[in-house]
Amino acid sequence: MAESPPNSKRALLPRLAGFVLISAVLVACVSGAQRKAAVANSENQSQASAAIPANPSNQRKALVLGSANRLPGQGMNHPEGAKVNFLKLVGNPANDPKKGWTCDLTWDLMQRLGMNPTNTPLEELFDYIGRHQLGYRIVINNGAGGYAMRFWSRALDNGMMPFAPQGNNTAGFRFDATPGLHAAISVAGGSRVNTSSYGPAVELIDALPVWASHSNFEDAAQSWANQAAAAKFAKILDAHPHYNIWDARQHLRQAASFWEKGWNETNGFGRVNESAVVAKLRPGPPLEFRAVKSRNRRQVHFTWRNFLQSDFAATVIARDDGRILYEGTGTNFTWSSDVDGDATFRYWSKNRAGDTSRMESFQTRTITGLNFRLNQTCLVIGAPPKEDGINSVLFSRFERLATNWVCDMVYRRGNPVYDRFTNFSTGPLVAVLPDVGAMVDYAISNHYRMILAPLTRSETNLFHYKTEWDRAAAAGILVVLPHHAMARFAQTMNTRMPSPPRLFSAVTVGSSATNWPRTLGPGLELVDNTSARGFGLNDPALLEAVTIAGKFAEVFDANPAYNAWDARQHLRQSSSFYPEGWREDGGYGRPPDTPAKLARLDPAPPVDMEATRSADGKTVTFSWVNFRQSSFAATVIRRANGETIYRGTGTNHAWRSDVAGTETFNFHSRDQAGQLSRGESYTRFEVTGLVKD
């Protein structure tokens, strides 16, 4: 059984009914003389050459978007004018199928097919035409800027070549557009050169010849120029029955007045001479070629539409130096960056004989700010539901500080709004996950450089997630945390917080006035006192944690060879209290506003150090996390007398006591040059109650 025509009942935005009023809203595209109207007698007025009846009659059809509906007292409307012009130009003003090309309005065609023209999408009409092989090979829109409509791809998919205005009739006005030519043939107005708007989308220029114009000059209004080009396209198809629509499009280009000089955004390829001899068609380059940098800057995603001439073989993408990245018949490709900086790409088509497209200026794309060894990505860990508004505040603050970094957010499951999200392709929200462990997993698997976690009223101590921060640090991620949420309630300075109980895998940041902290304690590493407020952060320590994260970003940028531990030591070493040594009431102090230039990095001592005496006093068990700077060689534990009891890359050691009473132990890191980290108050452990074994 034959498929019945669709009769859409969906309440979609009408795409076609608006053409009833199109003549009123597109006056800018039309010259006043064109308002005259009537289909002239073809035998007396048409100077068009007789069409060559080469293609089957059922393949010589054109469509114009719109209807013949008119307002009271209105003359011929825009779509009607386009239809009349096309029929005159192809030599069949009577629209007689026996005499050549015919033309229909989409409104009328939908009605004949049983569709509702007020709410049937054009894509549905195009698909129906293609499925039932109704023979339409040209589709025209003469509304301003009509080339940019998204439905043109569906027209091409179903064997129809679209023609539409590039912009409007404002001479010298540039309409910006994405580089490269589009699905529709974009036609500007001009008999010798463009006399209308211009821009990257211009493919051809054209004008109604004097004999077909309603004036005594060639009418270059963009509303009519595209019909002139479409009629030439029809004649070229007639003259070359072996052509498909892509062959005819390339023929138009090669027969145009500026083909020899090459495309430019003012005149495109120029005005077509349909009588010009084109000895050999070159492959046309792909259309709608896009190159988009991924959010993490480590990939470029390419998409395009193949230029499917009869002898099409492949689309080719290459680096500027000629290295081929892709060659095939697909329509997308992802390239992983091998540079830190910029990369330029070129693209073309290749036919079965091995010939390639001529290179035009629009066939180059330069992508800036790519990462390969550099990793400029930060992830904001989601706060608990009902407090997750802080996520976007941290994100915005970091983006202002680290303008060349990418900052993403992960939300915690439990917010009904975000729980419904399924598409995270555009960021900055990249996932909704159940808990902190899953968020850290996400950060590790996606190779983030830094994690920034918020403190809230319900989570006042992030040391609780120490195991997760340890995992992140082991994967090379720098974790930055506020020192303690109680700072919001600390109206006086020097409120001592027992947690975190020591420096550990994450960097803890406090808020200070000058160098005096609101909170202090054994786990405080750095402080800051930024003047930038107004970010909606109730807790000053939370604000300063973002500030320190921004300074870490600058350190990474200035020192691309650094790992996370190098950056951590750099910021310590350049902070205000470093010369005197770490202390509870300020850690290493406040880092400078811009990265300090250091001759060399000192080795930093291990973190998360503990020394635990056994119940019988005969053993001391040590544990720590190695401070794995690039130059790290070993962790060293020494007794007070200088005796080394451990040197290695492990993370724990048991020492059998050979004394009765008290012994002091000092932790150090040793770098590859043999230098030991300096002693700090937190690296010294005095163990009492020992029993000689």
mmCIF file with all atom_site columns, all heavy atoms in Angstrom, residues 6-10 12-17 110 114-126:
data_model
loop_
_atom_site.group_PDB
_atom_site.id
_atom_site.type_symbol
_atom_site.label_atom_id
_atom_site.label_alt_id
_atom_site.label_comp_id
_atom_site.label_asym_id
_atom_site.label_entity_id
_atom_site.label_seq_id
_atom_site.pdbx_PDB_ins_code
_atom_site.Cartn_x
_atom_site.Cartn_y
_atom_site.Cartn_z
_atom_site.occupancy
_atom_site.B_iso_or_equiv
_atom_site.pdbx_formal_charge
_atom_site.auth_seq_id
_atom_site.auth_comp_id
_atom_site.auth_asym_id
_atom_site.auth_atom_id
_atom_site.pdbx_PDB_model_num
ATOM 1   N N   . PRO A 1 6   ? 1.297  12.787 5.008  1.00 0.00 ? 6   PRO A N   1
ATOM 2   C CA  . PRO A 1 6   ? 1.120  13.148 6.420  1.00 0.00 ? 6   PRO A CA  1
ATOM 3   C C   . PRO A 1 6   ? 0.194  14.339 6.553  1.00 0.00 ? 6   PRO A C   1
ATOM 4   O O   . PRO A 1 6   ? 0.138  15.201 5.700  1.00 0.00 ? 6   PRO A O   1
ATOM 5   C CB  . PRO A 1 6   ? 2.544  13.492 6.868  1.00 0.00 ? 6   PRO A CB  1
ATOM 6   C CG  . PRO A 1 6   ? 3.265  13.875 5.613  1.00 0.00 ? 6   PRO A CG  1
ATOM 7   C CD  . PRO A 1 6   ? 2.662  13.066 4.519  1.00 0.00 ? 6   PRO A CD  1
ATOM 8   N N   . ASN A 1 7   ? -0.566 14.364 7.647  1.00 0.00 ? 7   ASN A N   1
ATOM 9   C CA  . ASN A 1 7   ? -1.438 15.493 7.947  1.00 0.00 ? 7   ASN A CA  1
ATOM 10  C C   . ASN A 1 7   ? -1.176 15.891 9.389  1.00 0.00 ? 7   ASN A C   1
ATOM 11  O O   . ASN A 1 7   ? -1.850 15.460 10.307 1.00 0.00 ? 7   ASN A O   1
ATOM 12  C CB  . ASN A 1 7   ? -2.899 15.098 7.739  1.00 0.00 ? 7   ASN A CB  1
ATOM 13  C CG  . ASN A 1 7   ? -3.832 16.285 7.906  1.00 0.00 ? 7   ASN A CG  1
ATOM 14  O OD1 . ASN A 1 7   ? -3.368 17.420 8.002  1.00 0.00 ? 7   ASN A OD1 1
ATOM 15  N ND2 . ASN A 1 7   ? -5.118 16.020 7.954  1.00 0.00 ? 7   ASN A ND2 1
ATOM 16  N N   . SER A 1 8   ? -0.135 16.695 9.580  1.00 0.00 ? 8   SER A N   1
ATOM 17  C CA  . SER A 1 8   ? 0.350  16.979 10.939 1.00 0.00 ? 8   SER A CA  1
ATOM 18  C C   . SER A 1 8   ? -0.659 17.796 11.719 1.00 0.00 ? 8   SER A C   1
ATOM 19  O O   . SER A 1 8   ? -1.208 18.772 11.232 1.00 0.00 ? 8   SER A O   1
ATOM 20  C CB  . SER A 1 8   ? 1.672  17.736 10.866 1.00 0.00 ? 8   SER A CB  1
ATOM 21  O OG  . SER A 1 8   ? 2.076  18.110 12.146 1.00 0.00 ? 8   SER A OG  1
ATOM 22  N N   . LYS A 1 9   ? -0.902 17.363 12.968 1.00 0.00 ? 9   LYS A N   1
ATOM 23  C CA  . LYS A 1 9   ? -1.787 18.098 13.875 1.00 0.00 ? 9   LYS A CA  1
ATOM 24  C C   . LYS A 1 9   ? -1.009 18.743 15.011 1.00 0.00 ? 9   LYS A C   1
ATOM 25  O O   . LYS A 1 9   ? -1.594 19.261 15.950 1.00 0.00 ? 9   LYS A O   1
ATOM 26  C CB  . LYS A 1 9   ? -2.816 17.126 14.464 1.00 0.00 ? 9   LYS A CB  1
ATOM 27  C CG  . LYS A 1 9   ? -3.693 16.460 13.410 1.00 0.00 ? 9   LYS A CG  1
ATOM 28  C CD  . LYS A 1 9   ? -4.536 17.454 12.657 1.00 0.00 ? 9   LYS A CD  1
ATOM 29  C CE  . LYS A 1 9   ? -5.462 16.795 11.660 1.00 0.00 ? 9   LYS A CE  1
ATOM 30  N NZ  . LYS A 1 9   ? -6.241 17.759 10.884 1.00 0.00 ? 9   LYS A NZ  1
ATOM 31  N N   . ARG A 1 10  ? 0.312  18.671 14.956 1.00 0.00 ? 10  ARG A N   1
ATOM 32  C CA  . ARG A 1 10  ? 1.097  19.213 16.068 1.00 0.00 ? 10  ARG A CA  1
ATOM 33  C C   . ARG A 1 10  ? 0.988  20.723 16.106 1.00 0.00 ? 10  ARG A C   1
ATOM 34  O O   . ARG A 1 10  ? 0.977  21.397 15.078 1.00 0.00 ? 10  ARG A O   1
ATOM 35  C CB  . ARG A 1 10  ? 2.577  18.816 15.931 1.00 0.00 ? 10  ARG A CB  1
ATOM 36  C CG  . ARG A 1 10  ? 2.773  17.322 16.054 1.00 0.00 ? 10  ARG A CG  1
ATOM 37  C CD  . ARG A 1 10  ? 4.257  17.032 16.182 1.00 0.00 ? 10  ARG A CD  1
ATOM 38  N NE  . ARG A 1 10  ? 5.017  17.478 15.009 1.00 0.00 ? 10  ARG A NE  1
ATOM 39  C CZ  . ARG A 1 10  ? 5.219  16.691 13.970 1.00 0.00 ? 10  ARG A CZ  1
ATOM 40  N NH1 . ARG A 1 10  ? 4.729  15.476 13.935 1.00 0.00 ? 10  ARG A NH1 1
ATOM 41  N NH2 . ARG A 1 10  ? 5.916  17.126 12.948 1.00 0.00 ? 10  ARG A NH2 1
ATOM 42  N N   . LEU A 1 12  ? 2.879  23.231 16.312 1.00 0.00 ? 12  LEU A N   1
ATOM 43  C CA  . LEU A 1 12  ? 4.213  23.805 16.180 1.00 0.00 ? 12  LEU A CA  1
ATOM 44  C C   . LEU A 1 12  ? 4.102  25.240 15.710 1.00 0.00 ? 12  LEU A C   1
ATOM 45  O O   . LEU A 1 12  ? 3.112  25.663 15.128 1.00 0.00 ? 12  LEU A O   1
ATOM 46  C CB  . LEU A 1 12  ? 5.038  22.987 15.169 1.00 0.00 ? 12  LEU A CB  1
ATOM 47  C CG  . LEU A 1 12  ? 5.219  21.505 15.503 1.00 0.00 ? 12  LEU A CG  1
ATOM 48  C CD1 . LEU A 1 12  ? 5.959  20.815 14.371 1.00 0.00 ? 12  LEU A CD1 1
ATOM 49  C CD2 . LEU A 1 12  ? 6.007  21.375 16.796 1.00 0.00 ? 12  LEU A CD2 1
ATOM 50  N N   . LEU A 1 13  ? 5.170  25.964 15.905 1.00 0.00 ? 13  LEU A N   1
ATOM 51  C CA  . LEU A 1 13  ? 5.223  27.338 15.411 1.00 0.00 ? 13  LEU A CA  1
ATOM 52  C C   . LEU A 1 13  ? 5.064  27.321 13.909 1.00 0.00 ? 13  LEU A C   1
ATOM 53  O O   . LEU A 1 13  ? 5.831  26.676 13.213 1.00 0.00 ? 13  LEU A O   1
ATOM 54  C CB  . LEU A 1 13  ? 6.570  27.957 15.790 1.00 0.00 ? 13  LEU A CB  1
ATOM 55  C CG  . LEU A 1 13  ? 6.805  29.389 15.307 1.00 0.00 ? 13  LEU A CG  1
ATOM 56  C CD1 . LEU A 1 13  ? 5.867  30.326 16.049 1.00 0.00 ? 13  LEU A CD1 1
ATOM 57  C CD2 . LEU A 1 13  ? 8.259  29.793 15.544 1.00 0.00 ? 13  LEU A CD2 1
ATOM 58  N N   . PRO A 1 14  ? 4.090  27.999 13.374 1.00 0.00 ? 14  PRO A N   1
ATOM 59  C CA  . PRO A 1 14  ? 3.867  27.953 11.916 1.00 0.00 ? 14  PRO A CA  1
ATOM 60  C C   . PRO A 1 14  ? 5.093  28.454 11.189 1.00 0.00 ? 14  PRO A C   1
ATOM 61  O O   . PRO A 1 14  ? 5.629  29.498 11.490 1.00 0.00 ? 14  PRO A O   1
ATOM 62  C CB  . PRO A 1 14  ? 2.668  28.892 11.715 1.00 0.00 ? 14  PRO A CB  1
ATOM 63  C CG  . PRO A 1 14  ? 1.995  28.929 13.044 1.00 0.00 ? 14  PRO A CG  1
ATOM 64  C CD  . PRO A 1 14  ? 3.084  28.797 14.066 1.00 0.00 ? 14  PRO A CD  1
ATOM 65  N N   . ARG A 1 15  ? 5.524  27.670 10.224 1.00 0.00 ? 15  ARG A N   1
ATOM 66  C CA  . ARG A 1 15  ? 6.704  28.056 9.479  1.00 0.00 ? 15  ARG A CA  1
ATOM 67  C C   . ARG A 1 15  ? 6.363  28.648 8.127  1.00 0.00 ? 15  ARG A C   1
ATOM 68  O O   . ARG A 1 15  ? 7.217  29.228 7.490  1.00 0.00 ? 15  ARG A O   1
ATOM 69  C CB  . ARG A 1 15  ? 7.607  26.839 9.270  1.00 0.00 ? 15  ARG A CB  1
ATOM 70  C CG  . ARG A 1 15  ? 8.059  26.241 10.585 1.00 0.00 ? 15  ARG A CG  1
ATOM 71  C CD  . ARG A 1 15  ? 9.147  25.267 10.327 1.00 0.00 ? 15  ARG A CD  1
ATOM 72  N NE  . ARG A 1 15  ? 9.602  24.703 11.590 1.00 0.00 ? 15  ARG A NE  1
ATOM 73  C CZ  . ARG A 1 15  ? 10.802 24.240 11.818 1.00 0.00 ? 15  ARG A CZ  1
ATOM 74  N NH1 . ARG A 1 15  ? 11.695 24.297 10.883 1.00 0.00 ? 15  ARG A NH1 1
ATOM 75  N NH2 . ARG A 1 15  ? 11.131 23.733 12.979 1.00 0.00 ? 15  ARG A NH2 1
ATOM 76  N N   . LEU A 1 16  ? 5.113  28.422 7.711  1.00 0.00 ? 16  LEU A N   1
ATOM 77  C CA  . LEU A 1 16  ? 4.791  28.825 6.356  1.00 0.00 ? 16  LEU A CA  1
ATOM 78  C C   . LEU A 1 16  ? 3.753  29.928 6.286  1.00 0.00 ? 16  LEU A C   1
ATOM 79  O O   . LEU A 1 16  ? 3.744  30.720 5.362  1.00 0.00 ? 16  LEU A O   1
ATOM 80  C CB  . LEU A 1 16  ? 4.280  27.610 5.582  1.00 0.00 ? 16  LEU A CB  1
ATOM 81  C CG  . LEU A 1 16  ? 5.316  26.457 5.499  1.00 0.00 ? 16  LEU A CG  1
ATOM 82  C CD1 . LEU A 1 16  ? 4.665  25.222 4.932  1.00 0.00 ? 16  LEU A CD1 1
ATOM 83  C CD2 . LEU A 1 16  ? 6.479  26.887 4.656  1.00 0.00 ? 16  LEU A CD2 1
ATOM 84  N N   . ALA A 1 17  ? 2.884  29.973 7.301  1.00 0.00 ? 17  ALA A N   1
ATOM 85  C CA  . ALA A 1 17  ? 1.803  30.949 7.218  1.00 0.00 ? 17  ALA A CA  1
ATOM 86  C C   . ALA A 1 17  ? 2.328  32.362 7.172  1.00 0.00 ? 17  ALA A C   1
ATOM 87  O O   . ALA A 1 17  ? 1.712  33.254 6.610  1.00 0.00 ? 17  ALA A O   1
ATOM 88  C CB  . ALA A 1 17  ? 0.853  30.776 8.400  1.00 0.00 ? 17  ALA A CB  1
ATOM 89  N N   . MET A 1 110 ? 1.723  21.574 -0.202 1.00 0.00 ? 110 MET A N   1
ATOM 90  C CA  . MET A 1 110 ? 1.270  20.900 1.023  1.00 0.00 ? 110 MET A CA  1
ATOM 91  C C   . MET A 1 110 ? -0.229 20.610 0.961  1.00 0.00 ? 110 MET A C   1
ATOM 92  O O   . MET A 1 110 ? -0.679 19.526 1.359  1.00 0.00 ? 110 MET A O   1
ATOM 93  C CB  . MET A 1 110 ? 1.592  21.753 2.250  1.00 0.00 ? 110 MET A CB  1
ATOM 94  C CG  . MET A 1 110 ? 3.046  21.731 2.661  1.00 0.00 ? 110 MET A CG  1
ATOM 95  S SD  . MET A 1 110 ? 3.277  22.617 4.225  1.00 0.00 ? 110 MET A SD  1
ATOM 96  C CE  . MET A 1 110 ? 5.029  22.370 4.489  1.00 0.00 ? 110 MET A CE  1
ATOM 97  N N   . GLY A 1 114 ? -2.183 16.886 1.064  1.00 0.00 ? 114 GLY A N   1
ATOM 98  C CA  . GLY A 1 114 ? -2.993 16.601 2.234  1.00 0.00 ? 114 GLY A CA  1
ATOM 99  C C   . GLY A 1 114 ? -2.360 17.019 3.543  1.00 0.00 ? 114 GLY A C   1
ATOM 100 O O   . GLY A 1 114 ? -2.796 16.576 4.617  1.00 0.00 ? 114 GLY A O   1
ATOM 101 N N   . MET A 1 115 ? -1.357 17.868 3.483  1.00 0.00 ? 115 MET A N   1
ATOM 102 C CA  . MET A 1 115 ? -0.717 18.370 4.697  1.00 0.00 ? 115 MET A CA  1
ATOM 103 C C   . MET A 1 115 ? -1.385 19.661 5.137  1.00 0.00 ? 115 MET A C   1
ATOM 104 O O   . MET A 1 115 ? -2.005 20.367 4.326  1.00 0.00 ? 115 MET A O   1
ATOM 105 C CB  . MET A 1 115 ? 0.773  18.635 4.450  1.00 0.00 ? 115 MET A CB  1
ATOM 106 C CG  . MET A 1 115 ? 1.578  17.434 4.034  1.00 0.00 ? 115 MET A CG  1
ATOM 107 S SD  . MET A 1 115 ? 3.314  17.894 3.733  1.00 0.00 ? 115 MET A SD  1
ATOM 108 C CE  . MET A 1 115 ? 3.985  16.323 3.217  1.00 0.00 ? 115 MET A CE  1
ATOM 109 N N   . ASN A 1 116 ? -1.238 19.984 6.388  1.00 0.00 ? 116 ASN A N   1
ATOM 110 C CA  . ASN A 1 116 ? -1.734 21.250 6.904  1.00 0.00 ? 116 ASN A CA  1
ATOM 111 C C   . ASN A 1 116 ? -0.606 22.277 6.794  1.00 0.00 ? 116 ASN A C   1
ATOM 112 O O   . ASN A 1 116 ? 0.366  22.214 7.538  1.00 0.00 ? 116 ASN A O   1
ATOM 113 C CB  . ASN A 1 116 ? -2.157 21.098 8.358  1.00 0.00 ? 116 ASN A CB  1
ATOM 114 C CG  . ASN A 1 116 ? -2.788 22.362 8.921  1.00 0.00 ? 116 ASN A CG  1
ATOM 115 O OD1 . ASN A 1 116 ? -2.605 23.442 8.364  1.00 0.00 ? 116 ASN A OD1 1
ATOM 116 N ND2 . ASN A 1 116 ? -3.518 22.221 10.009 1.00 0.00 ? 116 ASN A ND2 1
ATOM 117 N N   . PRO A 1 117 ? -0.691 23.238 5.884  1.00 0.00 ? 117 PRO A N   1
ATOM 118 C CA  . PRO A 1 117 ? 0.431  24.153 5.657  1.00 0.00 ? 117 PRO A CA  1
ATOM 119 C C   . PRO A 1 117 ? 0.696  25.121 6.802  1.00 0.00 ? 117 PRO A C   1
ATOM 120 O O   . PRO A 1 117 ? 1.754  25.762 6.840  1.00 0.00 ? 117 PRO A O   1
ATOM 121 C CB  . PRO A 1 117 ? 0.027  24.907 4.381  1.00 0.00 ? 117 PRO A CB  1
ATOM 122 C CG  . PRO A 1 117 ? -1.448 24.779 4.299  1.00 0.00 ? 117 PRO A CG  1
ATOM 123 C CD  . PRO A 1 117 ? -1.801 23.477 4.939  1.00 0.00 ? 117 PRO A CD  1
ATOM 124 N N   . THR A 1 118 ? -0.238 25.233 7.731  1.00 0.00 ? 118 THR A N   1
ATOM 125 C CA  . THR A 1 118 ? -0.014 26.172 8.833  1.00 0.00 ? 118 THR A CA  1
ATOM 126 C C   . THR A 1 118 ? 0.864  25.604 9.933  1.00 0.00 ? 118 THR A C   1
ATOM 127 O O   . THR A 1 118 ? 1.447  26.350 10.708 1.00 0.00 ? 118 THR A O   1
ATOM 128 C CB  . THR A 1 118 ? -1.353 26.624 9.460  1.00 0.00 ? 118 THR A CB  1
ATOM 129 O OG1 . THR A 1 118 ? -2.007 25.490 10.027 1.00 0.00 ? 118 THR A OG1 1
ATOM 130 C CG2 . THR A 1 118 ? -2.243 27.275 8.422  1.00 0.00 ? 118 THR A CG2 1
ATOM 131 N N   . ASN A 1 119 ? 0.950  24.278 10.034 1.00 0.00 ? 119 ASN A N   1
ATOM 132 C CA  . ASN A 1 119 ? 1.750  23.725 11.128 1.00 0.00 ? 119 ASN A CA  1
ATOM 133 C C   . ASN A 1 119 ? 2.613  22.532 10.731 1.00 0.00 ? 119 ASN A C   1
ATOM 134 O O   . ASN A 1 119 ? 3.145  21.845 11.594 1.00 0.00 ? 119 ASN A O   1
ATOM 135 C CB  . ASN A 1 119 ? 0.874  23.350 12.325 1.00 0.00 ? 119 ASN A CB  1
ATOM 136 C CG  . ASN A 1 119 ? -0.138 22.265 12.000 1.00 0.00 ? 119 ASN A CG  1
ATOM 137 O OD1 . ASN A 1 119 ? -0.088 21.647 10.936 1.00 0.00 ? 119 ASN A OD1 1
ATOM 138 N ND2 . ASN A 1 119 ? -1.066 22.033 12.920 1.00 0.00 ? 119 ASN A ND2 1
ATOM 139 N N   . THR A 1 120 ? 2.752  22.269 9.450  1.00 0.00 ? 120 THR A N   1
ATOM 140 C CA  . THR A 1 120 ? 3.636  21.188 9.012  1.00 0.00 ? 120 THR A CA  1
ATOM 141 C C   . THR A 1 120 ? 5.047  21.740 8.826  1.00 0.00 ? 120 THR A C   1
ATOM 142 O O   . THR A 1 120 ? 5.251  22.668 8.045  1.00 0.00 ? 120 THR A O   1
ATOM 143 C CB  . THR A 1 120 ? 3.155  20.574 7.688  1.00 0.00 ? 120 THR A CB  1
ATOM 144 O OG1 . THR A 1 120 ? 1.840  20.048 7.869  1.00 0.00 ? 120 THR A OG1 1
ATOM 145 C CG2 . THR A 1 120 ? 4.100  19.456 7.244  1.00 0.00 ? 120 THR A CG2 1
ATOM 146 N N   . PRO A 1 121 ? 6.024  21.192 9.525  1.00 0.00 ? 121 PRO A N   1
ATOM 147 C CA  . PRO A 1 121 ? 7.399  21.682 9.344  1.00 0.00 ? 121 PRO A CA  1
ATOM 148 C C   . PRO A 1 121 ? 7.879  21.441 7.920  1.00 0.00 ? 121 PRO A C   1
ATOM 149 O O   . PRO A 1 121 ? 7.529  20.440 7.279  1.00 0.00 ? 121 PRO A O   1
ATOM 150 C CB  . PRO A 1 121 ? 8.206  20.843 10.343 1.00 0.00 ? 121 PRO A CB  1
ATOM 151 C CG  . PRO A 1 121 ? 7.214  20.287 11.294 1.00 0.00 ? 121 PRO A CG  1
ATOM 152 C CD  . PRO A 1 121 ? 5.942  20.132 10.536 1.00 0.00 ? 121 PRO A CD  1
ATOM 153 N N   . LEU A 1 122 ? 8.693  22.340 7.439  1.00 0.00 ? 122 LEU A N   1
ATOM 154 C CA  . LEU A 1 122 ? 9.234  22.173 6.092  1.00 0.00 ? 122 LEU A CA  1
ATOM 155 C C   . LEU A 1 122 ? 10.059 20.898 5.980  1.00 0.00 ? 122 LEU A C   1
ATOM 156 O O   . LEU A 1 122 ? 10.106 20.267 4.920  1.00 0.00 ? 122 LEU A O   1
ATOM 157 C CB  . LEU A 1 122 ? 10.078 23.390 5.715  1.00 0.00 ? 122 LEU A CB  1
ATOM 158 C CG  . LEU A 1 122 ? 9.275  24.614 5.288  1.00 0.00 ? 122 LEU A CG  1
ATOM 159 C CD1 . LEU A 1 122 ? 10.158 25.840 5.186  1.00 0.00 ? 122 LEU A CD1 1
ATOM 160 C CD2 . LEU A 1 122 ? 8.580  24.358 3.963  1.00 0.00 ? 122 LEU A CD2 1
ATOM 161 N N   . GLU A 1 123 ? 10.720 20.511 7.067  1.00 0.00 ? 123 GLU A N   1
ATOM 162 C CA  . GLU A 1 123 ? 11.495 19.280 7.016  1.00 0.00 ? 123 GLU A CA  1
ATOM 163 C C   . GLU A 1 123 ? 10.604 18.087 6.645  1.00 0.00 ? 123 GLU A C   1
ATOM 164 O O   . GLU A 1 123 ? 11.028 17.179 5.920  1.00 0.00 ? 123 GLU A O   1
ATOM 165 C CB  . GLU A 1 123 ? 12.163 19.014 8.374  1.00 0.00 ? 123 GLU A CB  1
ATOM 166 C CG  . GLU A 1 123 ? 13.244 20.018 8.740  1.00 0.00 ? 123 GLU A CG  1
ATOM 167 C CD  . GLU A 1 123 ? 12.730 21.196 9.537  1.00 0.00 ? 123 GLU A CD  1
ATOM 168 O OE1 . GLU A 1 123 ? 11.518 21.510 9.432  1.00 0.00 ? 123 GLU A OE1 1
ATOM 169 O OE2 . GLU A 1 123 ? 13.529 21.814 10.262 1.00 0.00 ? 123 GLU A OE2 1
ATOM 170 N N   . GLU A 1 124 ? 9.369  18.109 7.143  1.00 0.00 ? 124 GLU A N   1
ATOM 171 C CA  . GLU A 1 124 ? 8.437  17.016 6.849  1.00 0.00 ? 124 GLU A CA  1
ATOM 172 C C   . GLU A 1 124 ? 8.066  17.006 5.373  1.00 0.00 ? 124 GLU A C   1
ATOM 173 O O   . GLU A 1 124 ? 7.975  15.944 4.747  1.00 0.00 ? 124 GLU A O   1
ATOM 174 C CB  . GLU A 1 124 ? 7.201  17.154 7.734  1.00 0.00 ? 124 GLU A CB  1
ATOM 175 C CG  . GLU A 1 124 ? 6.298  15.936 7.738  1.00 0.00 ? 124 GLU A CG  1
ATOM 176 C CD  . GLU A 1 124 ? 5.234  16.028 8.818  1.00 0.00 ? 124 GLU A CD  1
ATOM 177 O OE1 . GLU A 1 124 ? 5.534  16.539 9.917  1.00 0.00 ? 124 GLU A OE1 1
ATOM 178 O OE2 . GLU A 1 124 ? 4.096  15.585 8.556  1.00 0.00 ? 124 GLU A OE2 1
ATOM 179 N N   . LEU A 1 125 ? 7.881  18.190 4.817  1.00 0.00 ? 125 LEU A N   1
ATOM 180 C CA  . LEU A 1 125 ? 7.587  18.276 3.383  1.00 0.00 ? 125 LEU A CA  1
ATOM 181 C C   . LEU A 1 125 ? 8.772  17.773 2.565  1.00 0.00 ? 125 LEU A C   1
ATOM 182 O O   . LEU A 1 125 ? 8.612  16.993 1.621  1.00 0.00 ? 125 LEU A O   1
ATOM 183 C CB  . LEU A 1 125 ? 7.257  19.717 3.012  1.00 0.00 ? 125 LEU A CB  1
ATOM 184 C CG  . LEU A 1 125 ? 7.078  19.985 1.502  1.00 0.00 ? 125 LEU A CG  1
ATOM 185 C CD1 . LEU A 1 125 ? 5.893  19.206 0.944  1.00 0.00 ? 125 LEU A CD1 1
ATOM 186 C CD2 . LEU A 1 125 ? 6.927  21.477 1.234  1.00 0.00 ? 125 LEU A CD2 1
ATOM 187 N N   . PHE A 1 126 ? 9.985  18.219 2.929  1.00 0.00 ? 126 PHE A N   1
ATOM 188 C CA  . PHE A 1 126 ? 11.172 17.806 2.177  1.00 0.00 ? 126 PHE A CA  1
ATOM 189 C C   . PHE A 1 126 ? 11.353 16.289 2.235  1.00 0.00 ? 126 PHE A C   1
ATOM 190 O O   . PHE A 1 126 ? 11.688 15.650 1.229  1.00 0.00 ? 126 PHE A O   1
ATOM 191 C CB  . PHE A 1 126 ? 12.416 18.505 2.724  1.00 0.00 ? 126 PHE A CB  1
ATOM 192 C CG  . PHE A 1 126 ? 12.422 20.000 2.557  1.00 0.00 ? 126 PHE A CG  1
ATOM 193 C CD1 . PHE A 1 126 ? 13.179 20.802 3.396  1.00 0.00 ? 126 PHE A CD1 1
ATOM 194 C CD2 . PHE A 1 126 ? 11.673 20.614 1.564  1.00 0.00 ? 126 PHE A CD2 1
ATOM 195 C CE1 . PHE A 1 126 ? 13.201 22.180 3.257  1.00 0.00 ? 126 PHE A CE1 1
ATOM 196 C CE2 . PHE A 1 126 ? 11.678 21.992 1.409  1.00 0.00 ? 126 PHE A CE2 1
ATOM 197 C CZ  . PHE A 1 126 ? 12.438 22.782 2.264  1.00 0.00 ? 126 PHE A CZ  1
#
